[in-house]
Amino acid sequence: KQQENFYHYSDSPRVFEAWKTSESVRKIANHSKVLEIIEFLYGRRTFPFQTINFIKGSNQPIHSDAIHFHTIPFNWVAACWVALEDMDETNGTLVYCPTSHKLPIFDFKSLNLNPTQYGEQAENYKKYEQFIEEVIKSNNFIKKPFIAKKGQALIWSANLLHGGLPVVDPTRTRWSQATHYYFEGCEHYYVPMFSDPFNGKYSEKHIASNNIRDYNSI
């Protein structure tokens, strides 16, 4: 599965939800050490619900996961990005802004934009990306590349600003996997771009069919 064209920033589209067909992807998503660390940090049972696999660098602008999926109560979302080969500053490795997870949660409504329907979010999302660049400048955030060795991983809280370092060498690969995690006990698991929480309207994620941790029991 590939995402909508307006989310593609390179000639190597990201592969979504490969966990549904690949045991290797599921094993990475369910890695016991990652689950253990996330549960230690948050104090609640976690479960992966989405995977993204990369062959080359994404060139993706800086963003927060909290614009794509979130929870009520807020902030019960985490992510883990693992390098499947050695990274450097020429192959478009992951880049992130330290301490940016402490920012307020920004969604379309907080930018005075209306929630949209699925497939109609391109214009608003572009405005969101531009807004985030202004947030980075006004807060003097540093864009820090994650120069990982094969097998190293970075775990972050949902609101951390991150993206893809610009690809310098287009012949290089950037084999890697990002996995996103929810936690048990939330009232809503939803997609902010298509939701209006202040008016009680949620575009809910279907948790039972997307719980990678309990996949074999579904």
Side-chain angles (χ1 to χ4, degrees):
K1 177 183 177 182
Q2 295 179 1
Q3 212 170 20
E4 295 92 338
N5 287 334
F6 58 80
Y7 285 126
H8 294 164
Y9 306 93
S10 73
D11 61 357
S12 179
R14 295 164 288 174
V15 179
F16 280 72
E17 315 300 18
W19 67 270
K20 295 179 180 180
T21 56
S22 170
E23 183 178 357
S24 295
V25 172
R26 287 196 298 274
K27 285 183 176 179
I28 293 173
N30 284 317
H31 196 286
S32 59
K33 192 66 175 179
V34 173
L35 295 176
E36 178 184 336
I37 291 172
I38 293 175
E39 291 181 346
F40 172 77
L41 293 172
Y42 281 81
R44 187 180 294 189
R45 189 176 191 271
T46 188
F47 58 93
F49 68 92
Q50 186 200 57
T51 60
I52 311 174
N53 288 83
F54 305 86
I55 300 173
K56 290 187 175 183
S58 67
N59 276 328
Q60 186 176 11
I62 301 292
H63 64 285
S64 161
D65 288 336
I67 190 67
H68 293 283
F69 24 73
H70 214 64
T71 59
I72 301 293
F74 279 168
N75 291 325
W76 289 99
V77 188
C80 179
W81 187 92
V82 59
L84 303 179
E85 64 175 314
D86 291 348
M87 302 290 160
D88 58 43
E89 294 189 356
T90 70
N91 75 335
T93 188
L94 180 77
V95 62
Y96 66 101
C97 299
T99 76
S100 60
H101 64 288
K102 299 178 182 179
L103 287 167
I105 303 295
F106 297 120
D107 58 13
F108 287 169
K109 292 285 284 186
S110 60
L111 275 62
N112 292 319
L113 301 171
N114 291 323
T116 65
Q117 299 296 316
Y118 179 80
E120 299 176 359
Q121 69 269 36
E123 182 177 349
N124 280 4
Y125 194 77
K126 181 58 65 177
K127 292 177 181 178
Y128 165 81
E129 290 176 330
Q130 294 167 351
F131 172 79
I132 291 299
E133 279 300 319
E134 293 302 318
V135 169
I136 292 170
K137 292 177 184 177
S138 64
N139 286 275
N140 295 315
F141 285 132
I142 297 171
K143 296 180 181 180
K144 184 175 181 179
F146 183 44
I147 309 301
K149 294 297 184 182
K150 181 179 179 179
Q152 287 186 316
L154 181 68
I155 295 171
W156 66 80
S157 176
N159 205 36
L160 184 79
L161 297 181
H162 64 282
L165 195 70
V167 177
V168 176
D169 183 353
T171 68
R172 293 283 307 283
T173 57
R174 194 200 79 171
W175 289 96
S176 51
Q177 178 172 320
T179 306
H180 296 100
Y181 297 81
Y182 277 141
F183 296 83
E184 293 183 348
C186 292
E187 183 178 352
H188 295 284
Y189 304 88
Y190 70 101
V191 183
M193 288 185 285
F194 313 135
S195 303
D196 187 359
F198 295 102
N199 290 307
K201 299 178 181 179
Y202 297 92
S203 175
E204 301 278 3
K205 298 282 288 184
H206 191 259
I207 296 306
S209 61
N210 288 284
N211 184 335
I212 305 173
R213 186 169 185 171
D214 297 331
Y215 172 76
N216 291 329
S217 61
I218 293 173

